[in-house]
Every structure is written in structure tokens, then in C-alpha cells.
Amino acid sequence: MHTRDRWRASHRGRCAGHAAPMKRRAKPLLGTLVEIAFDAELPDEDVNRLSALAFQSIHDIHQLMSFHEPESDLTRINLAKPGQWVSVDIHTLKVLSCALQIERDSQGLFNAGVAPLLVKSGLLPAPCETVPAATCLADMVELNGKTVRKIAEGWIDLGGIAKGYAVDVACARLLDNGVCRFVVNAGGDLRVNGIADFEATIRDPDNPGRGVLRVRLNEEALATSACYFSDALIDPHSGKSLSSRYSVSVAAPTCMIADALTKIVACTGQIDHPILNQYMAKALIV
């Protein structure tokens, strides 16, 4: 394990995030099981109502930014011809804007334009028969208001950032409805609010069913990327799959940022990469 001193970790393996007793609700979404934990004192009827609102928020983000959904904003952008403008939801615009910024800040180490490589590897379905060359996102699209202009042929995959954003949106929905203490966990991409020293467990890359260590979070998000369930991590510079049997976890102020930064640390192996300080994040590799 490689970790930074300011991130407290302990080898006391458990298989789920741990906190004081809480009421939990779960639903399959985003290709994983999404769990929301609430203060145990919250009445059951409120837990059911609030969890339904949060789950709906996550479902809505999936519908907007799924590579697989034929009517998603993302599919309409991918099928657009160069020069064509596509109207998109404000949520899609926010994620694309963040993806562009992190692409610039990381000098292309984070790149949502590698979808053609994932298609060629059989990891994503092809939106149409002709597979374009992979390119950086900045060379493919430009943003203007609530519209996106396709600059060049290419396909975008927001799988490396949109799941984290979905968690953030669910958290915002709960906060808007007056909930102060909760955890939203989408298959290891999670965010904690109002709970001090929440302990989240990192899986053992050699045995993903077992927790290998716990890290403590305070009012922050955690995302983990690894290759033990798939080879869907691509190095944008080399175009090759990252098949190393290690996991990368990043804690950051938002889950969207944490989700994206895991890909940069996975490509470089640097838990002290300069971009982490820039985004007030910290990393570990197991």
C-alpha cells in the first residue's frame, strides 16, 4: 500500500463503510448497487421518501449521460456530425465542462474521448458501424450555453466521471430536502455528509470480496478505480488498457472530482501527482 501521511488508514478489514447505526436503502443503478444511509432517528416514511428522490436523481443522470442509452445527451453528441450543434441538459454541460478542465489540467491524462478504444476492445457497444479515431475531448467539442458543437468526429465516454457526478447530485437533492447526515455509495464511489470520521473500506485487489483497509472521511467524497472486475481503464497517451492488479482511491471535496482523478493516478502511479493538490485531493494505491 502506498498512501500519503495526511490520509488516516487502518488495517481492520471490513466489507462496507462503517459508521454509527443508520437506516439504509439500496437500489441497482449505474451498473452497480447504490446504497443510501440515513440517520437512524429519521422516521421510516421520510427515509423511503428521501431515498426515492435521491435514487431518481441518479437515474436521471444515467439517462442523460449513458453511452448505451439511444436517446441520451451523450449518444446524440456522439452521433452528431462535425459542425452540428446539440442541445443538452445543464447536468450534461456541467460534466463535460469539468471533463474538459481536468483534461487540460492533466495534460490529457484524463480524456473522455477514448471511447473508440473501449469500443475496439469490446468494452463498449459501437453507436454506429464506422469507428472514429480516438481524440482528446477539447478537439472534439466546444461548449456554448446549453449547447455543444461537435468540432470533429469522435465518441465520448463519461463513465470515468459521470458516476461520481450522479452521487453528488443525489447528495444535493438530500441537502435541499433538509437532510444533514447521510452517505451515498454507488459501488465504491461515495460521499459523506454530516458524519465525522466515517470509515470506508478499500477492497483487496487480489481478493475483491475482502476489505483490506479502512480510510476515514470527513465531509468528503471517495472514489476507487481498479481493474479487478474489468479492463475498462485506458491510458489515453498510450491507448493501452491498464491491467495492473492494483486499485487507486482518491478522496476529494466532490465525488465527480474524486472519480476523475483516480484515472490520472492509475495512469501515472503517482499518489503525489501535482493535480491532487490543485483539486484539494489525496490518493492511495493498494
Side-chain angles (χ1 to χ4, degrees):
M1 179 187 74
H2 303 282
T3 184
R4 302 177 71 173
D5 291 340
R6 61 195 178 102
W7 193 351
R8 292 168 292 170
S10 58
H11 288 271
R12 292 178 293 165
R14 293 173 67 104
C15 294
H18 174 73
M22 303 185 79
K23 292 183 178 179
R24 302 173 186 272
R25 298 293 185 270
K27 187 173 183 177
L29 290 165
L30 303 173
T32 187
L33 186 67
V34 178
E35 182 184 73
I36 306 177
F38 298 88
D39 192 315
E41 296 182 1
L42 201 65
D44 285 346
E45 55 269 27
D46 288 342
V47 169
N48 294 335
R49 176 180 60 85
L50 292 165
S51 60
L53 289 175
F55 289 140
Q56 185 61 50
S57 295
I58 292 172
H59 172 77
D60 292 345
I61 298 304
H62 171 80
Q63 293 296 109
L64 288 171
M65 289 174 249
S66 170
F67 193 89
H68 302 78
E69 294 292 333
E71 301 299 324
S72 71
D73 282 356
L74 192 63
T75 297
R76 292 188 298 109
I77 295 170
N78 285 338
L79 295 180
K81 299 299 182 182
Q84 184 177 346
W85 289 92
V86 181
S87 297
V88 299
D89 189 272
I90 187 63
H91 289 299
T92 306
L93 196 71
K94 286 180 179 179
V95 174
L96 285 171
S97 179
C98 183
L100 283 164
Q101 185 62 54
I102 296 178
E103 178 182 277
R104 288 190 291 267
D105 292 340
S106 68
Q107 298 182 332
L109 282 172
F110 179 82
N111 179 10
V114 299
L117 300 178
L118 295 170
V119 170
K120 289 179 179 179
S121 300
L123 299 169
L124 287 176
C128 60
E129 290 185 4
T130 303
V131 181
T135 184
C136 64
L137 189 60
D139 288 344
M140 195 192 314
V141 297
E142 68 176 10
L143 312 182
N144 186 358
K146 290 184 68 176
T147 57
V148 177
R149 186 170 79 93
K150 193 75 170 287
I151 301 173
E153 294 286 357
W155 292 339
I156 303 167
D157 172 35
L158 295 175
I161 189 171
K163 185 167 81 165
Y165 182 74
V167 170
D168 291 334
V169 171
C171 291
R173 190 76 178 271
L174 294 174
L175 288 168
D176 287 345
N177 280 270
V179 187
C180 298
R181 298 182 70 249
F182 58 82
V183 180
V184 178
N185 185 349
D189 283 15
L190 61 90
R191 186 165 171 178
V192 180
N193 193 85
I195 303 171
D197 287 336
F198 177 84
E199 293 184 337
T201 297
I202 308 298
R203 295 177 185 268
D204 182 349
D206 289 326
N207 181 8
R210 183 176 73 91
V212 68
L213 66 95
R214 291 189 291 179
V215 296
R216 295 179 184 175
L217 304 172
N218 288 285
E219 302 290 334
E220 56 192 334
L222 176 74
T224 298
S225 290
C227 300
Y228 39 67
F229 289 137
S230 74
D231 294 323
L233 293 178
I234 296 286
D235 183 336
H237 287 178
S238 69
K240 297 179 180 180
S241 296
L242 298 173
S243 57
S244 298
R245 294 183 65 185
Y246 62 78
S247 70
V248 172
S249 297
V250 171
T254 70
C255 205
M256 176 168 63
I257 295 298
D259 197 8
L261 296 186
T262 60
K263 308 338 182 262
I264 297 169
V265 177
C267 286
T268 63
Q270 294 179 261
I271 60 170
D272 57 352
H273 193 284
I275 201 170
L276 294 167
N277 283 335
Q278 182 177 345
Y279 284 90
M280 297 182 292
K282 50 206 173 188
L284 64 81
I285 295 175
V286 177

